[in-house]
């Protein structure tokens, strides 16, 4: 029988290619036939719950016209977040990438320069893994009385690793983390959240950088320079609620109009082995870097500021504060201290410890530290020592070990 356009069955490939210099020949199953449109290649991919599909994306810039949902085991692999970029195409709205399968994967790609509203964000992770991703340059203006949970990335499960979220601006009645939002789960590790600013029209807008609600773990990450002096958002860096954990992180250079310039945490939350330093006072109602209420835990954390009228820490009587550095501390059985931490260069946001720092061997060992590293990859337990803050202290110069 003669084959015609009406009786040929196309077999969709399990691997497709995208390249702005490709041949653009359906079904885009070889590098030579690569689609020039990301959406066309994704539409051509065979997607099944019992097999893994792969989209290889070459270096270049690709305008998306429709959102991409990874509800099946699909892997999207770019050439590097500095090389492969997706931007906003005509008619696009919504979440750029959604991961909602345990085998879903997004890696080595940048999501950049989108405008939108409360329904727009770069990445939503419910299940799966995203790594070496950059979400940047989002400008979101939301409808009246709208809530914005995470302008850059939202997490309710899964993993986000070795990624960047930066230069996100969001205006809404209720902002919940202009950069990153956790909703009852997920793990973010080795990431940078920087230069994100929310602007709320009510007192119920929180966190320019990160908002964590109902759990989740933010670890080995940097939360830097989020907020502005004019944005009406409470809490500059991170807000933790209901069991969230902030571990081994640097929170520095953040500010907001009210609340805590660095970190706010409530009942059931944990702040441990963090350095919270150099966060700024931007409003008359701003009086503290770190504010903790309820039965929360603050452990092995260095809190430091030289701003007049800005306290390092306020904590409820039922809050556990142990082995921490803050200027209001009194030497007690809990191992807290107000001593100068002897950071290397605070003016340059270098909060590593100098060799003579009193924080060097002043921390309390925890089970999670075995095999763990500090913020720059040194062992969390170094020469048997546990330091206060997100950095251990590796002495400079030649080390001679005599047995």
């Amino acid at each position: 029988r003669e084959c015609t356009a009406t009786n040929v069955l196309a077999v969709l490939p399990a691997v497709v290619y995208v390249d702005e210099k490709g041949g653009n020949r359906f079904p885009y199953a070889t590098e030579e036939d690569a689609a020039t449109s990301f959406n066309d290649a994704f539409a051509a991919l065979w997607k099944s719950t019992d097999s893994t599909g792969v989209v290889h994306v070459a270096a270049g810039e690709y305008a998306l016209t429709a959102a991409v949902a990874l509800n099946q085991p699909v892997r999207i692999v770019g050439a590097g977040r500095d090389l492969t970029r997706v931007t906003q195409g005509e008619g696009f709205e919504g979440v750029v990438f959604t991961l909602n399968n345990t085998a879903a994967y997004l890696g080595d790609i940048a999501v950049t320069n989108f405008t939108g509203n409360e329904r727009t964000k770069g990445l939503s992770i419910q299940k799966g893994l995203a790594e070496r991703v950059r979400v940047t340059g989002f400008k979101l203006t939301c409808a009246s009385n709208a809530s914005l949970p995470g302008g850059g990335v939202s997490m309710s499960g899964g993993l986000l690793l070795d990624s960047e979220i930066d230069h996100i601006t969001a205006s809404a009645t209720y902002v919940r983390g202009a950069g990153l939002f956790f909703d009852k789960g997920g793990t973010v590790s080795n990431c940078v959240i920087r230069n994100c600013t929310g602007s709320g029209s009510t007192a119920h807008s929180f966190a320019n950088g990160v908002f964590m609600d109902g759990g989740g773990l933010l670890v080995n990450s940097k939360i830097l320079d989020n907020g502005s002096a004019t944005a009406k958002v409470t809490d500059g860096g991170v807000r933790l609620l209901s069991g969230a954990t902030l571990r081994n992180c640097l929170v520095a250079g953040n500010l907001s109009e009210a609340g805590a310039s660095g970190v706010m945490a409530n009942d059931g939350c944990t702040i441990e082995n963090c350095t919270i330093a150099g966060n700024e006072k931007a409003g008359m109602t701003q009086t503290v870097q770190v504010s903790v209420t309820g039965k929360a835990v603050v452990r092995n954390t260095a809190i430091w500021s030289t701003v007049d009228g800005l306290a390092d820490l306020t904590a409820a009587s039922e809050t556990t504060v142990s082995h921490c550095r803050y200027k209001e501390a009194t030497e007690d059985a809990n191992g807290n201290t107000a001593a100068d931490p002897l950071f290397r260069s605070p003016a340059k946001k270098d909060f590593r410890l100098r060799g003579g720092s009193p924080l060097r061997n002043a921390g309390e060992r925890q089970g999670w530290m075995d095999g763990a590293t500090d913020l720059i990859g040194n062992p969390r337990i170094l020469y048997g020592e546990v330091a206060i803050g997100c950095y251990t202290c590796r002495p400079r110069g030649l080390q001679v070990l005599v047995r």
Side-chain angles (χ1 to χ4, degrees):
R1 182 182 177 185
E2 182 182 358
C3 291
T4 69
T6 59
N7 61 26
V8 172
L9 178 65
V11 177
L12 299 180
V15 179
V16 296
Y17 294 84
V18 185
D19 190 333
E20 61 184 7
K21 300 177 182 178
N24 203 36
R25 288 180 288 270
F26 181 86
Y28 321 119
T30 67
E31 293 183 57
E32 292 77 13
D33 293 341
T36 55
S37 160
F38 183 98
N39 288 112
D40 286 350
F42 187 74
L45 181 72
W46 173 252
K47 307 174 188 71
S48 170
T49 58
D50 57 5
S51 63
T52 300
V54 182
V55 182
H56 290 286
V57 191
E61 184 170 304
Y62 305 92
L64 264 62
T65 55
V68 178
L70 306 187
N71 298 318
Q72 294 89 16
V74 172
R75 296 173 60 84
I76 297 175
V77 183
R81 62 188 170 200
D82 296 326
L83 299 173
T84 302
R85 300 176 301 279
V86 297
T87 60
Q88 187 169 19
E90 184 176 355
F92 179 91
E93 61 179 23
V95 179
V96 181
F97 291 105
T98 299
L99 277 63
N100 192 24
N101 185 285
T102 54
Y105 175 86
L106 178 70
D108 295 294
I109 201 163
V111 185
T112 179
N113 297 332
F114 281 71
T115 60
N117 53 31
E118 64 274 11
R119 296 182 296 277
T120 305
K121 58 176 54 67
L123 182 58
S124 173
I125 303 178
Q126 300 159 36
K127 301 174 184 176
L129 165 64
E131 62 180 347
R132 298 182 299 278
V133 172
R134 186 182 183 196
V135 178
T136 183
F138 276 57
K139 296 181 180 180
L140 309 178
T141 303
C142 304
S144 177
N145 294 318
S147 175
L148 178 70
V153 176
S154 68
M155 305 283 300
S156 57
L159 297 169
L160 177 65
L161 308 178
D162 302 308
S163 295
E164 302 172 48
I165 304 167
D166 64 274
H167 294 89
I168 311 293
T169 59
S171 175
T173 303
Y174 307 98
V175 175
R176 299 289 190 273
L180 172 63
F181 174 75
F182 286 78
D183 183 16
K184 302 179 177 62
T187 297
V188 174
S189 179
N190 293 291
C191 291
V192 178
I193 301 93
R194 183 197 300 267
N195 292 122
C196 299
T197 300
S199 181
S201 59
T202 74
H204 301 288
S205 292
F206 303 103
N208 287 295
V210 182
F211 188 103
M212 305 179 70
D213 189 5
L217 171 65
L218 179 56
V219 60
N220 281 43
S221 296
K222 298 178 181 180
I223 302 92
L224 305 174
D225 304 321
N226 298 287
S228 74
T230 57
K232 293 184 178 298
V233 174
T234 298
D235 308 323
V238 184
R239 187 176 180 92
L240 309 174
L241 301 178
S242 306
T245 298
L246 183 70
R247 176 184 296 160
N248 223 87
C249 290
L250 173 64
V251 184
N254 303 284
L255 73 163
S256 64
E257 187 205 37
S261 59
V263 180
M264 180 276 172
N266 78 353
D267 197 76
C269 295
T270 301
I271 304 169
E272 56 186 348
N273 281 96
C274 291
T275 298
I276 305 169
N279 299 287
E280 301 178 26
K281 179 179 179 180
M284 294 300 295
T285 58
Q286 185 117 68
T287 59
V288 65
Q289 277 205 99
V290 180
S291 175
V292 187
T293 62
K295 295 180 180 180
V297 174
V298 187
R299 180 191 299 121
N300 291 348
T301 291
I303 309 169
W304 176 89
S305 174
T306 59
V307 177
D308 291 338
L310 188 66
D312 280 345
L313 172 69
T314 60
S317 58
E318 60 267 40
T319 300
T320 299
V321 181
S322 67
H323 299 84
C324 292
R325 187 279 164 198
Y326 56 104
K327 62 188 175 188
E328 299 85 8
T330 56
E331 306 290 337
D332 58 22
N334 291 324
N336 297 310
T337 180
D340 185 339
L342 296 181
F343 295 129
R344 287 194 184 180
S345 183
K348 297 180 180 179
K349 292 189 175 65
D350 183 355
F351 295 104
R352 291 175 295 170
L353 303 178
R354 285 190 265 160
S357 171
L359 309 189
R360 176 175 167 180
N361 190 26
E364 180 180 40
R365 186 167 183 156
Q366 300 295 308
W368 61 265
M369 294 177 177
D370 293 326
T373 62
D374 74 354
L375 195 55
I376 55 175
N378 291 323
R380 184 65 266 186
I381 301 173
L382 189 61
Y383 309 121
E385 299 177 354
V386 175
I388 291 174
C390 62
Y391 298 109
T392 54
C393 184
R394 182 181 291 277
R396 296 178 177 181
L398 177 66
Q399 299 293 307
V400 179
L401 179 62
V402 179
R403 296 186 182 276

